[in-house]
Amino acid sequence: MGIAQTAYRLDDSAHISQPWRIHELAPDFRVEDVWQLPGRGTAGDFSRLVDVIASFDPSHGSSRLSNALFALRWQLGELLGWDDPRRGIGARVPTLRDRLPADLRDAPTARDFSAAPFTWVYVTEHECAAEIANQTVHGVMHIGAVPDGAGGFRAQMAVLVKPNGPLGAAYMAAIRPFRHLLVYPPLMRDAARAWDAATLVAG
């Protein structure tokens, strides 16, 4: 896999139009944004991408500004109690795994996240979904492999959210410009570089 240097946002329809399993599981979540990761994968690369996602630490990336924003968010969460376990999965909200059909519920997932505060919902050969919940939002990170017409695929990430009342709606609106301009572009590039490195090692 070789990577380009630019990650860019896609229209919501790029996610909605795909036959992803997440559509049947989270119809009450809205699409916050959709991103295309730099680079192109080939056969076997998606499982390596899943491993990269599980080990990736978005708060210690190549962008000092993005890292500072993550640090500020964790500090605010600790100060205001947003990230208390009582506000999370299985407490404030039930896990989306409770909605899984048998074929997804019985399928293997992936190794646990080592840094990011996500939990896997399901993993298949072509897509995966992980969830997070706190006082502000119940969110889903969905990654899918979109065929590129040349025997490979492009990786696409969608962020799905279910804000928690007025606080959650206000919080998502407040962080949106920071996410779009300062956080996600370097995060996508870092993830693509890690994916590229994993593919080279495997090859």
Side-chain angles (χ1 to χ4, degrees):
M1 177 201 135
I3 66 171
Q5 294 303 310
T6 304
Y8 56 90
R9 285 187 64 200
L10 302 172
D11 188 81
D12 292 354
S13 62
H15 172 77
I16 296 170
S17 64
Q18 295 292 330
W20 305 128
R21 301 295 299 272
I22 194 65
H23 298 321
E24 64 190 91
L25 300 173
D28 48 337
F29 286 62
R30 64 173 171 81
V31 179
E32 177 68 12
D33 41 49
V34 184
W35 296 81
Q36 180 167 295
L37 276 70
R40 173 182 177 273
T42 56
D45 282 348
F46 189 75
S47 62
R48 285 186 279 273
L49 176 59
V50 172
D51 285 341
V52 165
I53 292 168
S55 62
F56 188 66
D57 185 354
S59 65
H60 291 82
S62 62
S63 168
R64 292 183 180 180
L65 183 54
S66 176
N67 294 344
L69 290 171
F70 270 107
L72 176 61
R73 167 58 184 84
W74 303 145
Q75 290 171 4
L76 284 174
E78 183 176 1
L79 178 65
L80 300 174
W82 289 348
D83 303 320
D84 187 297
R86 292 171 295 180
R87 309 289 189 265
I89 302 293
R92 185 180 71 79
V93 295
T95 173
L96 288 177
R97 285 192 59 82
D98 292 344
R99 305 182 184 187
L100 293 180
D103 65 316
L104 291 179
R105 185 172 58 250
D106 297 336
T109 55
R111 61 176 175 169
D112 292 341
F113 284 82
S114 59
F118 282 90
T119 303
W120 290 112
V121 179
Y122 68 88
V123 177
T124 74
E125 293 182 353
H126 306 292
E127 63 175 299
C128 60
E131 64 182 335
I132 182 174
N134 51 49
Q135 182 62 29
T136 63
V137 70
H138 187 184
V140 175
M141 172 181 63
H142 179 271
I143 309 289
V146 180
D148 64 2
F153 68 89
R154 301 281 183 181
Q156 180 177 292
M157 183 185 82
V159 177
L160 314 177
V161 297
K162 189 175 183 181
N164 183 25
L167 169 65
Y171 172 78
M172 292 305 300
I175 69 171
R176 189 170 295 124
F178 297 98
R179 291 174 62 251
H180 291 171
L181 296 175
L182 302 176
V183 176
Y184 274 72
L187 186 153
M188 294 292 112
R189 290 193 296 270
D190 289 345
R193 291 189 186 104
W195 182 27
D196 194 42
T199 300
L200 289 173
V201 170

